[in-house]
Amino acid sequence: LDDTACNLSSLNLMRFRKQVGDKQEFDVASFSAAARVVITAMEISVGNSSYPTPAIEQNSHDYRPLGIGYANLGALLMSRGLAYDSDEARNFSAVITSLLSGVTYHQSALIAEKIGPFDGFKRNVEPCLEVMRMHRDASRQVADLGVPADLQAASRDAWDKVVEDGAKFGLRNAQISVIAPTGTISFLMDCDTTGIEPDIALVKYKWLVGGGMIKIVNQTVPEALTRLGYSKEQVDDIMRYVDVKDTVEGAPHLQEKDLAIFDCAFKAKNGSRTIPYMGHIRMMAAVQPFVSGAISKTVNMPQEVTSQEIIDAYMEGSRLGLKAIAIYRDGSKRQQPLTTSLDKDQKTKVVPASTAVVDNKPRRRRLPDERRAITHKFVIGAHEGYITAGLYDDGKPGEIFVTMAKEGTVVSGLMDSLATTVSIALQYGVPLPVLVNKFVHKRFEPSGYTNNPQIRIAKSIVDYIFRWLALKFMTAEEQLAVGVNAVIAPSEAPSVQSTAMADASAKVEIKQAQANIFAEPLASQSPNPLSPFPTSNLQTLTSTFDNQSDAPACETCGSIMVRNAACYKCLNCGGTSGCS
């Protein structure tokens, strides 16, 4: 229906198998049970979902359409030794689809018994039940060739129950099943094939978002070969051939009659076989009578296909009763996400899927639309400004804004550019200590005294900004590492009396430590036995003096100089900056 939403889910068919003798057979009971649980969850989700428009919400609640489906059908057929384009495969696929829709429609009828049918059921009783009878009749027309007896019986029994209980209680859902493409979730479910599709190729190459490719080899081939009767040694030889040649054609030990089982949607680079495009349409036609909605599937056609053949494909799909059909001609896109070979001039390194390259591109961590912020007013000499720091939820800065002077002035433009650069750097993960270390103690005008008691003198606006950021968002250890020390306000400075008491205590400790040097072996001393004197944690007014953090390199020997009064001197060669 127009203006409705369909909640989707898909079951990985390869997960519903059990060991019977030396073979894996489809587990009808577990598949039916899983389908009932999943469709019940999907029905619950209808009333708990959000919808984009009121019309879609109303119709979704009135008709409650659902879309259960499956993935990995192509791998299941191959594992059973069935060629995708064969009557046996089509019969098997039709019955599995019939069982899925039949079991879930019956569950819908049981839910309707408890809480009532969908709101539009009363207006559509006869048409709805007629559709159920058509599904039942179609299930009885599927041939037994290639279909296990228990699977066939369970499918027909499910539709008998749907018709019977649907007439008694109605149905909770107007639509129950679709076959979705499962292009993304099939990877999450560890599937070799997607939806109702066959495999694209036994060996394929997938482009990675961050660059490079991974080589993906179908993992169903060994199981199929074993089921066909090949020995372990023969299977190993065939798989080695596939890994090297990217095709099973010409592999040792492989019989000609078994080649069709490994046919894929695309022709292998070193092979000639492929599933005919009509094979895709015939598979869809076999399954369509048991699907409430449509089948999302690509009919893969070779690059040399003609316009008339494409017309014929659409017409045949219409004649067979398909509700949807999509045509894709190989190579019609400049770059495909999956390819069967590497170009000869391709220099991209291919890695196995198990060791796929991780995307190492830097990722930007943007701030939420609403975030906390701190605004700080500062004055440097005669210049006034404001710093605003936007914060992440964890309290770390993610952006800064600097407002100074009038809009359009040189100072305003430069500060805005600097703030934008720093903000982007922070959001891309550049650590704040790295930025602070690069920008503190930059010396240029305007500079001078500030109104901040922790930053008495700023060498420049940039120096002030980054010293403030360091004092606000960095630990004391990080501040010391980049040469930023906070000035202690007089009220925080230790009193004369407490200083004297601390000095007296320190003298006692020093004397005791000196005595211990001679009283105990060196092995039992502190980690630095040559320095037994304890360091005091007391800070004084001179603790902010760092005589080397902004010093230049010596013009004579290149060593970092130290401050000496208003100038600098070199402790290595004795050179000065001019006035010492």
Side-chain angles (χ1 to χ4, degrees):
L1 295 173
D2 291 339
D3 289 325
T4 55
C6 180
N7 294 328
L8 302 177
S9 69
S10 299
L11 301 174
N12 182 354
L13 294 177
M14 288 289 281
R15 296 295 185 184
F16 299 98
R17 298 186 302 161
K18 60 183 178 180
Q19 193 71 31
V20 179
D22 59 347
K23 296 180 180 179
Q24 291 274 345
E25 296 293 345
F26 193 74
D27 191 344
V28 175
S30 67
F31 181 70
S32 301
R36 290 184 183 276
V37 171
V38 172
I39 204 68
T40 303
M42 296 170 67
E43 156 58 27
I44 294 171
S45 73
V46 172
N48 291 276
S49 299
S50 58
Y51 301 90
T53 67
I56 293 177
E57 181 175 8
Q58 184 64 47
N59 285 334
S60 296
H61 287 163
D62 288 347
Y63 292 92
R64 312 185 76 80
L66 300 178
I68 195 169
Y70 50 69
N72 229 4
L73 176 67
L76 181 62
L77 295 176
M78 186 181 293
S79 70
R80 295 182 62 84
L82 300 178
Y84 189 86
D85 186 20
S86 67
D87 290 336
E88 294 90 338
R90 286 188 282 271
N91 293 339
F92 184 81
S93 302
V95 176
I96 279 188
T97 311
S98 174
L99 176 64
L100 177 66
S101 291
V103 166
T104 50
Y105 258 129
H106 183 234
Q107 183 70 6
S108 180
L110 296 180
I111 296 174
E113 178 187 5
K114 302 297 183 182
I115 57 178
F118 63 90
D119 292 343
F121 181 76
K122 293 180 180 179
R123 299 190 303 273
N124 297 276
V125 174
E126 283 307 316
C128 188
L129 293 180
E130 177 61 22
V131 170
M132 297 303 107
R133 289 190 289 267
M134 292 172 65
H135 285 310
R136 180 195 59 186
D137 296 343
S139 71
R140 294 173 177 174
Q141 295 171 4
V142 180
D144 294 336
L145 180 64
V147 183
D150 62 335
L151 179 60
Q152 184 75 281
S155 164
R156 293 171 178 173
D157 180 64
W159 283 112
D160 289 339
K161 292 179 179 178
V162 170
V163 173
E164 179 181 354
D165 290 342
K168 292 180 182 178
F169 314 120
L171 298 170
R172 183 63 177 168
N173 310 97
Q175 173 181 308
I176 207 75
S177 58
V178 300
I179 306 298
T182 70
T184 300
I185 65 172
S186 63
F187 283 99
L188 300 179
M189 294 194 294
D190 196 24
C191 298
D192 277 325
T193 63
T194 61
I196 195 178
E197 300 279 3
D199 201 357
I200 289 180
L202 297 184
V203 178
K204 45 197 173 290
Y205 299 87
K206 179 175 176 60
W207 288 98
L208 299 175
V209 176
M213 304 179 81
I214 59 174
K215 184 177 182 178
I216 305 172
V217 181
N218 189 306
Q219 298 302 308
T220 313
V221 177
E223 182 178 344
L225 291 169
T226 302
R227 189 182 183 101
L228 292 170
Y230 293 90
S231 66
K232 185 179 184 305
E233 292 74 17
Q234 290 174 326
V235 171
D236 292 341
D237 290 343
I238 294 173
M239 290 307 299
R240 278 192 291 268
Y241 181 90
V242 171
D243 193 44
V244 173
K245 297 293 187 178
D246 289 2
T247 181
V248 76
E249 297 177 53
H253 317 300
L254 187 63
Q255 300 180 38
E256 184 74 20
K257 65 181 180 65
D258 295 331
L259 280 174
I261 296 169
F262 305 101
D263 286 349
C264 297
F266 288 166
K267 183 173 63 177
K269 175 185 177 183
N270 298 314
S272 59
R273 298 183 61 92
T274 183
I275 297 174
Y277 65 87
M278 286 306 300
H280 296 269
I281 297 176
R282 285 191 289 265
M283 176 60 78
M284 296 171 69
V287 169
Q288 183 67 78
F290 309 104
V291 181
S292 301
I295 303 168
S296 179
K297 183 189 177 336
T298 300
V299 176
N300 297 98
M301 306 186 77
Q303 190 171 26
E304 60 273 13
V305 69
T306 65
S307 300
Q308 185 59 47
E309 288 174 316
I310 293 177
I311 293 173
D312 293 342
Y314 278 116
M315 295 304 294
E316 184 67 10
S318 175
R319 187 183 68 81
L320 293 174
L322 300 184
K323 295 184 179 181
I325 187 171
I327 300 293
Y328 179 73
R329 184 177 65 88
D330 187 22
S332 60
K333 287 186 176 181
R334 180 174 296 178
Q335 184 175 9
Q336 299 175 174
L338 288 173
T339 181
T340 59
S341 65
L342 292 172
D343 296 334
K344 292 182 179 179
D345 59 348
Q346 179 67 44
K347 298 181 180 179
T348 304
K349 182 180 179 181
V350 180
V351 296
S354 58
T355 57
V357 179
V358 178
D359 181 9
N360 289 322
K361 291 174 61 177
R363 299 187 182 276
R364 187 173 182 180
R365 181 191 176 196
R366 296 182 180 273
L367 281 86
D369 291 341
E370 290 188 5
R371 61 268 206 172
R372 294 179 295 114
I374 299 175
T375 299
H376 171 73
K377 179 182 178 182
F378 66 92
V379 176
I380 301 176
H383 298 270
E384 182 180 292
Y386 297 86
I387 306 172
T388 300
L391 308 179
Y392 291 110
D393 292 336
D394 58 7
K396 295 181 179 179
E399 65 182 1
I400 64 168
F401 300 93
V402 181
T403 304
M404 288 194 72
K406 294 182 179 180
E407 187 69 29
T409 61
V410 174
V411 173
S412 175
L414 289 175
M415 289 300 101
D416 185 59
S417 300
L418 174 68
T420 301
T421 302
V422 173
S423 299
I424 294 176
L426 290 172
Q427 292 174 22
Y428 273 102
V430 178
L432 180 60
V434 173
L435 294 171
V436 172
N437 187 48
K438 286 293 182 182
F439 288 103
V440 292
H441 304 303
K442 291 283 186 181
R443 183 184 295 277
F444 58 85
E445 295 298 328
S447 62
Y449 290 97
T450 77
N451 63 338
N452 191 335
Q454 292 185 300
I455 307 174
R456 296 288 178 79
I457 299 176
K459 301 178 180 68
S460 63
I461 299 174
V462 173
D463 173 49
Y464 184 92
I465 292 171
F466 284 92
R467 285 168 70 182
W468 179 80
L469 288 172
L471 294 172
K472 198 71 180 176
F473 300 107
M474 289 167 52
T475 65
E477 292 77 10
E478 290 173 335
Q479 294 172 23
L480 290 173
V482 295
V484 175
N485 297 325
V487 177
I488 298 179
S491 59
E492 300 175 357
S495 63
V496 176
Q497 181 179 2
S498 63
T499 303
M501 293 176 63
D503 290 343
S505 176
K507 290 178 181 179
V508 173
E509 292 178 4
I510 292 172
K511 289 183 178 180
Q512 184 64 42
Q514 290 172 333
N516 290 341
I517 292 176
F518 302 101
E520 300 177 7
L522 285 177
S524 64
Q525 300 298 318
S526 59
N528 185 8
L530 299 180
S531 302
F533 305 105
T535 57
S536 176
N537 291 327
L538 296 174
Q539 296 190 16
T540 65
L541 290 174
T542 61
S543 63
T544 59
F545 180 68
D546 186 350
N547 67 346
Q548 204 174 19
S549 61
D550 62 335
C554 177
E555 295 181 355
T556 304
C557 68
S559 298
I560 299 299
M561 306 173 78
V562 298
R563 182 180 295 281
N564 188 34
C567 299
Y568 301 92
K569 68 178 180 180
C570 179
L571 298 178
N572 185 49
C573 67
T576 68
S577 61
C579 62
S580 297

